């Protein structure tokens, strides 16, 4: 009976060229794998087909396709890329093209020169992964790809035969280890400047997070995203209670009946009439990229956060904005007060937009407001009384807090108050603000994040997109704007003990939780702590931290010039160390053999070519054949050199022979 050959045995039976080609194709696939979510489906499909095709040709030892095939595929790629991106320039179109070009280049992989082009094109394609993500997982995948490319490059320089790939991999690993100290020094000390160029992107696309508009139901969709929005590290042990962890985002004041939007008029400068109480709470925020201009700060933050490289300004509604979208991971410090009042304390014309409602919208809610005004218990009531009446209705009216309240129509407030009586935080906040405005109480919606989760591994508070929240602010005579969270009246645990709604976990996550909830939670916390360490020490390593490093080294007022000086000094020291290493390596060779080699060189200059390893006595004989007694001194010296190494009796020292060698009349 025939036993089928194992795949490993089949691979070993292939010629070296085919084996090396398959290895290189595997490395290219590893480079392209993280790009799959970022490139069009046709691009990834075409790249996979080309790589499989090239692998099949290598295994079957068939000829490569003609240049017409390659030209045709390239033309189709250019046309489809333009049709997809409407340009051949920019980040997305450029990455699409470079992926296809790398795959197509393998179809003309004939000579070593072609292999080198593929290697360096692979290095460039590897870097494009960081255009989209600089996470720890991306860095780890690219490290594996780097080692794979270095292994293929070393293997291409090995002599003919079948050298094992493991030997090339060990050499590549040593190369990477030797380069690691240089990489670390450059990372720590190479001056970080503002980028001289950028890649054009859609500044508002491709990110999940808060928006400056809120259609009822949108935050419920965001709550299904368990990704991290920000991490917060409080100073010392001054951590507010979870019920006070309101991180302010866009403030929405305009309403068209279904959608809330931010006011287009944002006045720069310190927030108007902000009055704080108590001691400030200092903290550090590591904000994930959102491609939005706003910063997340704990309510309320009177002083500008410390964020290098951005121009920040505050608005009258207590929000802090940057002069451009936050497209990279940033870290900033801020100080906030959890007890505060803001806004005018007397009613003025500036509050009129906060009582405006679209004509004819939500008529039943408007009728409910009129009914409340006619209630004798609310006769002459102020804002606080109306707020308490609305909250009491939410507590006792059979309302529920849910992620799936069903589809809402145009009159969202009416449907919430009278029909569905169920909703997520934005349903509740929107209906509450509409009722307040119908009662002629100035009100607005604030979106942001509420709560958070403490990671016990690194003691950072984690804000997730699922922590997104919407609450209300109402205006009270003599007080100003004050926060009201109507969701707390429907579901007190959402704000107090912080029990947020989450979607059902997937099959694997559900099995992990069912098997050991504590283990799943600890694994998640550990992994997020590792990611946070990567963010803090690598992605957030800025110019200011470079200068802080110089302060720790003893510089009183470090500057970029000091940074360059330290870097130059280290380069000089490294060069001197390398030169010393080279001299030491040379001194390790046998000095007797080195002197013999110098003598062979002198004979070569005289026309006597001798192979390496020729002994001194044979050199002396060849010298006598060629020059006779005219080279007697050199012959005697060669015999003394032999005696110094092999004679039983002590002969001349090597130092004496070296000195004599420099003064000998060697024939020419």
């Amino acid at each position: 009976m025939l036993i089928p050959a194992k795949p490993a045995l089949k691979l070993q039976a292939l010629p070296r060229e085919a084996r090396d080609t398959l290895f290189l194709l595997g490395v290219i696939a590893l480079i392209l794998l993280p790009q799959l979510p970022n490139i069009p489906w046709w691009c990834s499909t075409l790249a996979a087909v080309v790589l499989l095709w090239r692998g099949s040709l290598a295994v079957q030892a068939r000829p490569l396709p003609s240049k017409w095939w390659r030209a045709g595929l390239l033309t189709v790629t250019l046309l489809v890329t333009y049709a997809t991106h409407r340009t051949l320039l920019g980040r997305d179109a450029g990455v699409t093209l470079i992926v296809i070009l790398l795959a197509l280049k393998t179809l003309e992989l004939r000579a070593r020169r072609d292999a080198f082009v593929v290697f360096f094109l692979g290095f460039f394609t590897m870097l494009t992964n960081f255009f989209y993500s600089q996470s720890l997982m991306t860095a780890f995948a690219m490290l594996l790809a780097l080692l794979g490319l270095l292994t293929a490059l070393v293997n291409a320089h090995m002599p003919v035969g079948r050298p094992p790939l493991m030997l090339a991999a060990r050499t590549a690993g040593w190369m990477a280890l030797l380069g690691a100290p240089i990489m670390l020094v450059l990372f720590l000390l190479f001056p970080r400047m503002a980028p001289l160029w950028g890649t054009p992107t859609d500044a508002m696309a491709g990110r999940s997070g808060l928006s400056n508009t809120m259609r009822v139901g949108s935050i419920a969709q965001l709550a299904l995203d368990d990704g991290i929005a920000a991490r917060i590290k409080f100073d010392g042990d001054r951590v507010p209670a979870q019920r006070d962890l309101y991180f302010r985002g866009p403030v929405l004041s305009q309403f068209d009946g279904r959608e809330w939007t931010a006011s287009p008029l944002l006045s720069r400068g310190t927030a108007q009439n902000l009055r704080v109480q108590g001691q400030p709470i200092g903290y550090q925020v590591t904000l994930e990229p959102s491609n939005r201009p706003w910063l997340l700060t704990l309510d309320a933050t009177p002083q500008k956060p410390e964020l290098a490289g951005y121009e920040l300004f505050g608005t009258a509604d207590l929000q802090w904005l940057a002069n451009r979208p936050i497209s990279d991971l940033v870290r900033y410090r801020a100080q906030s007060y959890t007890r505060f009042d803001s806004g005018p304390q007397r009613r003025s014309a500036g509050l009129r937009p906060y009582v405006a409602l679209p004509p004819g919208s939500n008529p039943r809610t408007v009728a409910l407001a009129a009914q409340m005004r006619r209630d004798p218990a609310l006769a002459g009531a102020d804002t606080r009384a109306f707020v308490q009446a609305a909250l009491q209705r939410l507590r006792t009216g059979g309302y529920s807090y849910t992620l799936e309240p069903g589809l809402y129509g145009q009159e969202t407030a009416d449907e919430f108050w009278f029909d569905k009586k169920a909703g997520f935080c934005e349903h509740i906040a929107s209906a509450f603000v509409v009722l307040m405005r119908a009662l002629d109480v100035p009100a607005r919606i604030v979106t942001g994040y509420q709560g958070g989760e403490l990671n016990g591994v690194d003691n950072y508070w984690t804000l997730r997109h699922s922590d997104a929240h919407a609450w209300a602010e109402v205006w009270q005579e003599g007080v100003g704007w004050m926060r009201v969270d109507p969701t707390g009246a429907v579901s007190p645990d959402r704000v107090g003990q912080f029990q947020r709604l989450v979607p059902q976990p997937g099959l694997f996550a559900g099995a992990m939780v069912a098997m050991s909830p504590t283990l799943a939670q600890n694994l998640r916390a550990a992994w997020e702590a590792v990611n946070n360490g990567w963010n803090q020490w690598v992605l957030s390593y800025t110019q200011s931290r470079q200068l802080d490093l110089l302060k720790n080294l003893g510089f009183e007022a470090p500057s970029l010039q000091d940074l360059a000086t330290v870097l130059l000094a280290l380069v000089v020291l490294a060069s001197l160390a390398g030169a010393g290493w080279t001299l030491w390596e040379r001194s390790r060779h046998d000095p007797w053999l080195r002197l013999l080699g110098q003598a062979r060189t002198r004979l070569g200059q005289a026309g006597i070519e001798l192979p390496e390893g020729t002994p001194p006595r044979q050199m002396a004989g060849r010298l006598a054949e060629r020059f006779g007694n005219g080279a007697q001194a050199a012959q005697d010296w060669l015999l003394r050199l032999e005696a110094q190494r092999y004679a039983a009796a002590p002969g001349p020292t090597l130092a004496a022979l070296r000195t004599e060698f420099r003064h000998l009349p060697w024939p020419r």
Side-chain angles (χ1 to χ4, degrees), residues 495-651:
V495 179
Q497 300 176 10
F498 182 57
Q499 297 178 0
R500 62 172 179 268
L501 297 177
V502 295
Q504 291 296 321
L507 181 62
F508 179 75
M512 283 285 294
V513 172
M515 181 179 65
S516 176
T518 304
L519 176 62
Q521 184 177 1
N522 291 341
L523 288 176
R524 179 180 182 178
W527 173 245
E528 290 182 350
V530 170
N531 270 285
N532 185 41
W534 170 263
N535 292 341
Q536 301 299 326
W537 295 103
V538 178
L539 299 187
S540 296
Y541 188 74
T542 59
Q543 186 183 102
S544 61
R545 297 188 68 185
Q546 285 184 312
L547 299 180
D548 289 341
L549 176 62
L550 292 187
K551 286 183 180 179
N552 295 332
L553 294 176
F555 289 83
E556 294 184 1
S559 63
L560 289 179
Q561 183 178 357
D562 297 326
L563 198 63
T565 302
V566 172
L567 181 60
L568 181 61
L570 288 176
V571 170
V572 171
L573 287 176
S575 302
L576 293 175
W581 174 271
T582 302
L583 292 174
W584 181 73
E585 279 287 313
R586 291 185 60 185
S587 68
R588 291 179 62 193
H589 293 107
D590 191 333
W592 187 89
L593 291 175
R594 189 164 62 249
L595 191 56
L596 181 64
Q598 293 172 357
R600 186 172 59 253
T601 301
R602 289 293 181 92
L603 293 181
Q605 294 172 354
I608 304 176
E609 297 294 337
L610 296 171
E612 187 175 354
T614 304
R617 184 170 294 275
Q618 186 175 344
M619 289 183 181
R622 291 292 303 274
L623 199 58
E625 292 175 4
R626 181 74 177 270
F627 296 100
N629 294 331
Q632 188 63 45
Q635 296 175 44
D636 295 341
W637 182 87
L638 287 168
L639 294 176
R640 287 196 300 275
L641 179 65
E642 182 184 66
Q644 198 277 335
R645 185 67 171 254
Y646 298 108

Side-chain angles (χ1 to χ4, degrees), residues 235-274:
D235 296 345
D237 56 355
R238 297 205 59 206
V239 181
Q242 279 188 323
R243 63 178 179 272
D244 294 327
L245 293 178
Y246 283 86
F247 294 89
R248 196 178 193 89
V251 179
L252 313 177
S253 57
Q254 296 182 337
F255 185 54
D256 64 2
R258 181 172 175 81
E259 185 174 69
W260 291 88
T261 58
S263 172
L265 302 176
L266 295 174
S267 58
R268 297 196 178 203
T270 306
Q272 293 180 358
N273 300 324
L274 177 59

Side-chain angles (χ1 to χ4, degrees), residues 386-437:
F386 285 131
V387 166
Q388 290 303 318
L391 295 180
Q392 182 64 21
R393 185 182 183 91
L394 289 172
R395 294 188 190 99
T396 60
Y399 296 93
S400 62
Y401 176 60
T402 176
L403 271 174
E404 299 177 351
L407 186 64
Y408 271 70
Q410 184 65 31
E411 310 296 343
T412 56
D414 283 358
E415 291 184 48
F416 176 80
W417 286 115
F418 301 102
D419 300 329
K420 296 183 179 297
K421 293 190 174 184
F424 197 56
C425 58
E426 76 265 38
H427 301 87
I428 303 171
S430 177
F432 179 85
V433 171
V434 170
L435 179 60
M436 289 297 105
R437 290 190 175 191

Side-chain angles (χ1 to χ4, degrees), residues 238 240 244 273-282 298-302 318 335-342 345 384 478-483:
R238 297 205 59 206
D244 294 327
N273 300 324
L274 177 59
R275 302 169 294 279
V276 297
Q277 304 175 33
Q279 295 297 317
I281 297 172
L298 188 66
D299 255 356
T301 307
L318 307 185
Q335 285 191 333
S336 300
Y337 297 80
T338 57
R339 299 175 59 194
F340 64 95
D341 297 314
S342 67
Q345 295 178 293
R384 292 185 185 275
V479 176
W481 292 104
M482 61 182 187
R483 180 196 304 143

